[in-house]
Amino acid sequence: MKKMGIMLLSITILLVLAAGNVWATGSQQAGNTVYVFGPTPDHGWTGSAARFAEEKIAQLNAAGGKYTYVFRAAGSPDAQIQQIEAMLAESKKPAGVVIQASDNMVQAAVERIAQANIPLILFDRLLDGTSPLIREKMLIAMSADNYAIGAGAAYYMVEKGLTPGEAIWELPGDNSAVSVERGTGFREFLTGKRPFNDDQGQSHTIAANKKWTDAQINSSITSSQVANWSRDNAKTYFESYIAGKTPQTLAKWLWTMDDEFVMGILELLQTPAKAAEREVFESTVKVITGCGGLTALYDVMGRTKATAGNQLYQPDGVAIMSPTCRPGFFVDAIQLMEDALNGKDITVHYTDKATKRFHEPPHLVDTASWAANKNNPSWRGFD
């Protein structure tokens, strides 16, 4: 009896292992459900992207096509992992998966999707750089072109009169690849190593007589402590930077990596206690950049100091610009899955064939361009 019990236990274990490995063999019957995983559609660029995704899914399902699309929103990496595990435990294999990963914690769960040979598209927060398996199996990885965001900020400043060797103050987002790529794009445009490719397909290069040397880059750009995408941190670091500055010592060119940073700086400067700093700021600064597409910053761009009333003001003489990649290109990721499942060749959308990447180029939003394009759905801001 003891041997029989051991034998039955062994068989049970083998059956459990077989069930656990069934996704790797791809033996499940394929269903017609496409899962789209993304963030909770509450606020910020990612929240706006999620709202665009929900709209697209509603349209596809209303059209009554072959595939049914289901959106799964998660407020944390753990929640997203649980959603993926629940999907993989279903009786039928999904027809496809489009995912905006919460962060790198989700990588192992996404690798299980890849192992199961489920058609996979990555959006925005990509894992293909750290997982060879995901890179091999995915159809396409779609993200904002962070190099172009940095290059676009530099291009805009040059167009507004920036000359080689002038002082620039930089406020980075964090220590991630996003900020590194933006900073690299900014510097490489100024040195002539990289063009700025905009969302209209135009390529802009810096004129030979306006190129910076590496020595000028190193001596003229003052980089702040990273603000970790925090408006409050931006206030703190800019307050420290501007303290005691005069029109002769304050940088005319402020290169920040997020719209929240610009909002924080403007909030700081409009307080009565900062009247002296505000006067120096308005008399000195030529350009301040953000990034993202924050509706509140668009509102600032859309009015003048005289009409702002008690609202956050638009400083006189200072150009505010936000190089923004539309969150709506989440819609494109979902459409590409629909196209791929219906036999269309989506490799034509690669901007980098070696890595199967698509990079979304930014548009440059300032007072003039926002006035001209504010009714364009692709330029819609987010809260």
Side-chain angles (χ1 to χ4, degrees), residues 120-131:
L120 173 65
I121 290 178
L122 306 181
F123 171 75
D124 183 36
R125 296 170 181 172
L126 309 182
L127 304 168
D128 58 309
T130 54
S131 173

Side-chain angles (χ1 to χ4, degrees), residues 212-371:
W212 290 46
T213 65
D214 289 336
Q216 287 171 327
I217 291 286
N218 294 332
S219 64
S220 301
I221 300 179
T222 300
S223 189
S224 168
Q225 180 178 348
V226 300
N228 286 313
W229 313 112
S230 163
R231 185 182 297 198
D232 288 340
N233 284 345
K235 290 181 185 179
T236 298
Y237 300 150
F238 185 72
E239 183 176 27
S240 177
Y241 170 70
I242 200 173
K245 289 290 192 299
T246 67
Q248 291 71 41
T249 58
L250 180 67
K252 298 177 182 178
W253 314 95
L254 306 183
W255 152 229
T256 89
M257 295 190 183
D258 194 81
D259 288 351
E260 291 284 354
F261 298 169
V262 179
M263 293 295 291
I265 289 169
L266 297 182
E267 286 177 356
L268 172 73
L269 291 172
Q270 77 173 3
T271 60
K274 297 300 178 184
E277 288 85 349
R278 182 168 65 249
E279 183 177 348
V280 173
F281 179 88
E282 291 193 1
S283 65
T284 306
V285 174
K286 299 297 184 185
V287 170
I288 181 170
T289 70
C291 179
L294 190 65
T295 299
L297 187 60
Y298 288 177
D299 289 344
V300 173
M301 294 178 186
R303 62 181 188 270
T304 64
K305 186 175 181 179
T307 61
N310 294 322
Q311 302 177 73
L312 195 63
Y313 75 97
Q314 180 180 11
D316 289 340
V318 180
I320 302 172
M321 193 278 288
S322 176
T324 300
C325 290
R326 58 190 177 96
F329 83 100
F330 204 167
V331 167
D332 300 344
I334 298 168
Q335 183 60 51
L336 286 183
M337 177 59 75
E338 174 76 2
D339 291 345
L341 293 176
N342 284 288
K344 294 184 180 179
D345 179 15
I346 68 169
T347 65
V348 297
H349 297 282
Y350 294 162
T351 54
D352 184 339
K353 292 183 179 180
T355 59
K356 298 193 287 188
R357 286 286 191 97
F358 168 83
H359 296 104
E360 173 72 14
H363 45 254
L364 306 185
V365 186
D366 65 2
T367 298
S369 64
W370 175 239

Side-chain angles (χ1 to χ4, degrees), residues 38-268:
T40 304
D42 48 13
H43 70 282
W45 190 94
T46 55
S48 183
R51 291 193 292 273
F52 275 109
E54 288 180 317
E55 292 172 6
K56 177 65 174 178
I57 286 170
Q59 292 170 2
L60 286 170
N61 289 339
K66 179 179 177 181
Y67 300 97
T68 300
Y69 286 78
V70 175
F71 185 70
R72 291 283 183 260
S76 69
D78 286 340
Q80 192 169 71
I81 291 168
Q82 291 172 8
Q83 290 171 345
I84 294 171
E85 289 175 346
M87 176 194 70
L88 293 174
E90 292 177 357
S91 59
K92 289 188 176 182
K93 180 191 290 191
V97 169
V98 181
I99 183 167
Q100 182 181 18
S102 292
D103 69 12
N104 287 350
M105 287 177 59
V106 186
Q107 178 171 306
V110 178
E111 285 180 337
R112 289 187 63 199
I113 297 172
Q115 286 171 344
N117 293 315
I118 299 168
L120 173 65
I121 290 178
L122 306 181
F123 171 75
D124 183 36
R125 296 170 181 172
L126 309 182
L127 304 168
D128 58 309
T130 54
S131 173
L133 174 64
I134 293 173
R135 184 168 60 251
E136 175 192 353
K137 296 289 188 177
M138 70 186 188
L139 300 178
I140 191 170
M142 306 179 71
S143 67
D145 189 338
N146 284 300
Y147 289 107
I149 286 171
Y155 163 77
Y156 186 84
M157 289 183 180
V158 171
E159 290 294 295
K160 291 293 184 180
L162 174 67
T163 58
E166 284 193 275
I168 297 171
W169 184 69
E170 176 184 57
L171 182 56
D174 58 12
N175 292 313
S176 73
V178 169
S179 296
V180 171
E181 289 174 3
R182 290 179 185 178
T184 299
F186 185 87
R187 289 160 173 78
E188 289 186 347
F189 179 84
L190 293 179
T191 57
K193 298 173 184 175
R194 178 185 297 273
F196 166 54
N197 298 317
D198 65 23
D199 64 329
Q200 300 301 307
Q202 300 296 313
S203 183
H204 309 273
T205 56
I206 191 169
N209 64 342
K210 296 181 179 180
K211 287 183 182 180
W212 290 46
T213 65
D214 289 336
Q216 287 171 327
I217 291 286
N218 294 332
S219 64
S220 301
I221 300 179
T222 300
S223 189
S224 168
Q225 180 178 348
V226 300
N228 286 313
W229 313 112
S230 163
R231 185 182 297 198
D232 288 340
N233 284 345
K235 290 181 185 179
T236 298
Y237 300 150
F238 185 72
E239 183 176 27
S240 177
Y241 170 70
I242 200 173
K245 289 290 192 299
T246 67
Q248 291 71 41
T249 58
L250 180 67
K252 298 177 182 178
W253 314 95
L254 306 183
W255 152 229
T256 89
M257 295 190 183
D258 194 81
D259 288 351
E260 291 284 354
F261 298 169
V262 179
M263 293 295 291
I265 289 169
L266 297 182
E267 286 177 356
L268 172 73

